[in-house]
Amino acid sequence: MNKKLNIWQLTPPQILVLGFALIILLGAGLLTLPFASASGESLHFIDALFTSVSATCVTGLVVVDTGSSFTTFGQIVIVSLIQVGGLGFMTMATLVAFVFRKKITLRERLVLQEAFNQGSMEGIVRLIRKVIIYSLSIEAVAALIFTIRFSFDFDFPRALYLGIWHSISMFNNAGFDLFGTVDAPFVSFTGYVGDFVVNVVAMMLIILGGIGFVVIADLIDFHKKRKLSLHSKVVLSMSGLLLIVGALGIFIFEFTNIRTLGSLDFGSKLLASFFQSTAARTAGPNTVDLGALRQASQFLIIILMFIGASPGSTGGGIKTTTFTILISAIVTMVRGKEDIVIYRYRLAKDRILKAITLSMMALFLVIVVTMILSTTEDSSFIKILFEVTSAFGTVGLTLGLTPDLTMLGKILICLTMFAGRLGTITLAYALQPKQEKELFRYPEGKITIG
């Protein structure tokens, strides 16, 4: 009786952490089955666990090539984990509740509120209904376009399978792909570097999945309201700015690099630059060899991966809104102002403190894991930093280090992906003991800064 009571007393953050952990373990168990592996032999548990974590946390880092190492069953398990991990297991549970006309309880609403980082429970079920409809609709349209395009390269059943699979993977910002073969593993989308249709559809999926469901709902309802919320304005403006800055940076740095963009025509150079800038925002696919990029480009991608997508989306990172608040705080301080004002709205101090806390916790996590891996892995510092940031941002881009990770390295990257998907603050709330309200306040003190 006490055990049952303890389960019901779990906080929303603890339910989220436990739910994701159980899904990961279930996925790892299925991927270790012999008929999930193309070789017919059971995949090593740590490799199955790594793949399950990467799929559920919609990252895309892989220790074995997805296209050549797994059977159709294994690939379906992976794409199912991607869908559940991207939309959130509570969203999928709500979908089941809708189908069976089950009422959403107050506790379930609280968990959904935590999962989508909403300020209140008001309209949360309505939002979830929109999330499900929008997600499935977007994936269906993209799957149709992908299928038509892939039918020129494969027979129709294979093209349909690839179309649906990659539509789910790209929209959920997972970065997994099935284009690798035994002779050429880990090729990602490099075979479509100059393909306009594949690039544009993939980028649109990544962007729509990365801006967040609240923003998508806001955009769809724009014709009724004739205005966007402050959240949507910040997300759209910062996402657009980062996309353009990232693309221009990669274009300039790699323009003469014969191993990346140098051998392409001008149009393909632009397309590849925008694709890689988009993918760096937590998606994971690549159309050029990332290991051949100049270090300036690699470091730029590290910055983009650390910032990540937007709140309530399928992506990770510290989020575009957090980055906007940090930049605005710097500008406000330099200008000698007291309040941070964005689009004529003053931000509350608790929002600013949360942004700073989240950023510092994320930076601390990346630094610590990078330092540990620098001693356990036989690789360059830039490769390790790139890998860790990719894991934290749930991006999936790699410079080739993932398959060569040691056992400890795989475990640390798994933990980093898990923290990146759930969020460092959510994880901290889940692990800390129940807080009691303080009955007093200490006197204010002053510390010299700068």
Side-chain angles (χ1 to χ4, degrees):
M1 184 69 182
N2 287 335
K3 288 184 178 180
K4 187 175 181 181
L5 183 64
N6 287 336
I7 292 174
W8 283 109
Q9 288 179 342
L10 291 175
T11 63
Q14 289 171 335
I15 292 174
L16 284 177
V17 171
L18 182 62
F20 268 96
L22 290 175
I23 291 169
I24 287 169
L25 290 175
L26 174 62
L30 292 173
L31 291 176
T32 54
L33 296 175
F35 49 85
S37 176
S39 65
E41 299 178 0
S42 296
L43 189 66
H44 195 285
F45 180 75
I46 189 64
D47 292 336
L49 179 66
F50 191 100
T51 304
S52 182
V53 171
S54 185
T56 308
C57 297
V58 290
T59 305
L61 290 174
V62 289
V63 288
V64 293
D65 182 65
T66 311
S68 60
S69 299
F70 294 99
T71 60
T72 301
F73 172 79
Q75 293 168 2
I76 291 175
V77 169
I78 291 171
V79 83
S80 299
L81 292 173
I82 290 171
Q83 187 73 291
V84 173
L87 299 185
F89 75 93
M90 280 304 298
T91 303
M92 304 305 290
T94 305
L95 174 59
V96 174
F98 287 157
V99 172
F100 290 98
R101 299 184 180 279
K102 178 181 174 293
K103 187 177 180 181
I104 309 301
T105 66
L106 176 63
R107 187 168 189 77
E108 289 167 345
R109 291 169 192 260
L110 285 169
V111 179
L112 287 168
Q113 177 190 343
E114 178 70 27
F116 282 88
N117 202 18
Q118 296 298 294
S120 70
M121 288 188 297
E122 184 180 357
I124 190 68
V125 175
R126 189 165 59 252
L127 172 63
I128 300 306
R129 188 179 287 110
K130 289 180 178 179
V131 165
I132 295 169
I133 294 172
Y134 297 161
S135 300
L136 297 180
S137 299
I138 292 169
E139 287 175 354
V141 172
L144 177 61
I145 299 173
F146 270 150
T147 299
I148 295 172
R149 172 60 190 87
F150 292 147
S151 63
F152 289 94
D153 302 328
F154 306 93
D155 57 74
F156 183 76
R158 179 64 177 171
L160 178 63
Y161 177 68
L162 291 175
I164 295 173
W165 208 97
H166 288 96
S167 174
I168 295 172
S169 179
M170 293 302 104
F171 178 72
N172 288 287
N173 281 211
F176 280 82
D177 71 272
L178 300 179
F179 296 118
T181 62
V182 175
D183 297 324
F186 310 111
V187 295
S188 192
F189 280 70
T190 52
Y192 294 94
V193 61
D195 193 295
F196 183 80
V197 174
V198 173
N199 278 260
V200 171
V201 174
M203 283 192 289
M204 288 304 299
L205 285 170
I206 293 166
I207 291 170
L208 289 173
I211 60 177
F213 299 110
V214 175
V215 178
I216 294 176
D218 216 10
L219 288 172
I220 291 176
D221 294 336
F222 180 75
H223 69 284
K224 298 177 183 176
K225 301 177 182 178
R226 291 295 172 187
K227 66 175 183 178
L228 295 173
S229 65
L230 174 62
H231 172 80
S232 295
K233 288 179 180 178
V234 170
V235 167
L236 292 172
S237 58
M238 183 53 70
S239 296
L241 179 63
L242 290 172
L243 175 63
I244 294 172
V245 170
L248 287 177
I250 294 170
F251 182 80
I252 293 170
F253 295 143
E254 300 300 319
F255 191 85
T256 58
N257 188 348
I258 196 67
R259 298 170 62 197
T260 54
L261 302 185
S263 60
L264 304 176
D265 59 72
F266 187 81
S268 295
K269 281 184 172 72
L270 277 177
L271 195 61
S273 298
F274 272 96
F275 185 91
Q276 217 50 69
S277 177
T278 304
R281 304 289 313 293
T282 80
N286 58 284
T287 55
V288 296
D289 181 7
L290 299 181
L293 292 174
R294 292 185 171 123
Q295 287 197 355
S297 300
Q298 293 173 350
F299 192 69
L300 174 60
I301 291 174
I302 288 174
I303 295 171
L304 293 175
M305 292 192 298
F306 185 75
I307 297 170
S310 303
S313 71
T314 58
I318 63 171
K319 304 295 191 294
T320 52
T321 48
T322 302
F323 184 67
T324 301
I325 292 174
L326 294 178
I327 296 298
S328 300
I330 294 171
V331 173
T332 300
M333 180 63 68
V334 170
R335 294 177 62 188
K337 303 290 184 179
E338 185 174 341
D339 295 322
I340 296 179
V341 178
I342 301 175
Y343 288 111
R344 298 186 179 181
Y345 283 95
R346 175 175 55 85
L347 294 186
K349 282 186 168 51
D350 68 309
R351 299 289 89 189
I352 302 166
L353 287 174
K354 186 173 182 179
I356 294 172
T357 302
L358 191 153
S359 302
M360 291 306 298
M361 289 177 70
L363 186 62
F364 181 76
L365 174 66
V366 170
I367 289 173
V368 170
V369 176
T370 301
M371 289 176 67
I372 296 173
L373 291 185
S374 293
T375 61
T376 63
E377 310 302 315
D378 183 19
S379 187
S380 64
F381 177 78
I382 190 74
K383 278 189 175 183
I384 294 172
L385 178 61
F386 194 99
E387 192 86 6
V388 174
T389 309
S390 178
F392 165 74
T394 67
V395 182
L397 295 176
T398 179
L399 299 182
L401 177 61
T402 315
D404 299 325
L405 287 170
T406 61
M407 180 75 75
L408 178 59
K410 291 175 182 177
I411 293 172
L412 284 174
I413 292 296
C414 281
L415 292 174
T416 306
M417 289 190 287
F418 191 71
R421 178 65 183 98
L422 287 166
T424 50
I425 290 183
T426 299
L427 206 56
Y429 284 162
L431 296 175
Q432 71 178 0
K434 189 175 180 181
Q435 285 187 325
E436 296 181 1
K437 188 174 181 181
E438 292 183 350
L439 302 178
F440 61 92
R441 296 179 70 186
Y442 292 99
E444 186 178 286
K446 292 185 178 181
I447 298 176
T448 302
I449 298 175

